[in-house]
Amino acid sequence: MKFFVDTADLAEIRDLADSGLVDGVTTNPSLIAKSGRNMLDVIAEICDVVPGPVSAEVTATEHADMMAEAEVLAAIAPNVAIKVPLTPDGLKTCKALRDRDIMVNVTLCFSSAQAVLAAKADASFISPFVGRLDDIGLRGLDLIEDIVEIFSQHDAFETEVLVASIRGPAHVVESAMAGAHVATLPPGVLRQLYQHPLTDKGLAAFLKDWKATGQSILEQANERKNAAE
Ligand code: G3P
């Protein structure tokens, strides 16, 4: 399962990319606005930090304008994935960009029917928003499970399921269990995945017992090295 980071905050992206566990980045107009920075600059910097797919969303709503914006964004770096909304113009743009071998992430997906349309438009990624479905009393993971099942029945559907609007570790684990290809995580959620009190407790106990031995791995290695010389 690939992990993308869902933010336009370069400091967060740099910090998390250093873990070696970040396979891409997703942004959207709200995340760009939150960064307070020029969009083209931010996307270019992200593409320099993370070699995997970096989603940059068009802000136009009509096909011709979407294409014009997509050309600008795609020219920033080869790892830019153009994000388009799941609308008729968005999918028309998706198909046109895919015919030019440009990565496309179709976003704001809330139904299996929409996901099938995105797959037929040859989307590289489809982004169902699980958190926003939970917010209205549905189970967002039901949609992920359905989309993964539908796509598994059709070899022609090569679109990767990219779970978005993730609110916590449970969404990540359940998406992995459902067979989703990618999860895009807010930075805080990615950091939460490491955390368990029993890990902290167990490590403290190991280190306490080790300290009591007075031993040092590196000192022993140096002693052996010196003895061999
Ligand atoms: O990538 C989409 C994500 O940023 C939306 O998340 O929490 O606003 O539903 P949220």
Side-chain angles (χ1 to χ4, degrees):
M1 184 182 208
K2 286 176 271 190
F3 278 1
F4 291 2
V5 175
D6 192 38
T7 184
D9 182 323
L10 260 298
E12 290 278 39
I13 293 169
R14 288 194 174 91
D15 180 56
L16 291 170
D18 191 50
S19 71
L21 301 181
V22 173
D23 303 302
V25 176
T26 52
T27 71
N28 61 43
S30 300
L31 292 173
I32 296 293
K34 189 177 178 184
S35 77
R37 295 188 54 196
N38 173 293
M39 179 176 179
L40 301 192
D41 292 344
V42 168
I43 297 299
E45 280 185 50
I46 295 172
C47 289
D48 283 343
V49 174
V50 177
V54 175
S55 291
E57 188 163 342
V58 297
T59 58
T61 55
E62 296 188 6
H63 174 60
D65 294 335
M66 285 178 165
M67 288 300 291
E69 290 185 351
E71 285 181 18
V72 170
L73 296 172
I76 293 171
N79 55 321
V80 167
I82 303 300
K83 225 181 191 184
V84 297
L86 213 150
T87 62
D89 281 74
L91 292 192
K92 183 177 179 181
T93 301
C94 174
K95 190 70 176 65
L97 293 172
R98 293 294 299 133
D99 289 347
R100 292 165 55 177
D101 204 23
I102 293 172
M103 276 191 289
V104 177
N105 178 1
V106 175
T107 191
L108 289 168
C109 172
F110 294 96
S111 75
S112 295
Q114 288 180 321
V116 170
L117 285 176
K120 284 187 63 62
D122 193 27
S124 310
F125 305 101
I126 180 67
S127 292
F129 279 33
V130 295
R132 295 191 187 184
L133 287 167
D134 289 0
D135 292 346
I136 62 170
L138 300 174
R139 179 175 177 265
L141 260 293
D142 285 345
L143 176 58
I144 302 303
E145 291 164 1
D146 290 351
I147 294 171
V148 169
E149 172 59 24
I150 292 168
F151 283 13
S152 72
Q153 303 291 327
H154 300 275
D155 294 341
F157 288 177
E158 297 180 345
T159 302
E160 293 191 357
V161 180
L162 192 167
V163 183
S165 185
I166 282 180
R167 295 290 202 296
H171 277 158
V172 180
V173 172
E174 289 181 56
S175 297
M177 291 174 73
H181 304 87
V182 189
T184 191
L185 288 70
V189 173
L190 180 45
R191 293 192 178 98
Q192 276 183 286
L193 297 181
Y194 290 95
Q195 294 161 10
H196 196 291
L198 288 181
T199 302
D200 298 339
K201 185 180 177 185
L203 180 58
F206 284 162
L207 296 178
K208 178 173 179 287
D209 292 345
W210 175 251
K211 187 176 181 182
T213 70
Q215 293 187 49
S216 159
I217 293 170
L218 296 183
E219 285 176 8
Q220 286 183 24
N222 282 335
E223 286 162 9
R224 287 176 171 233
K225 179 170 174 279
N226 294 337
E229 288 171 350

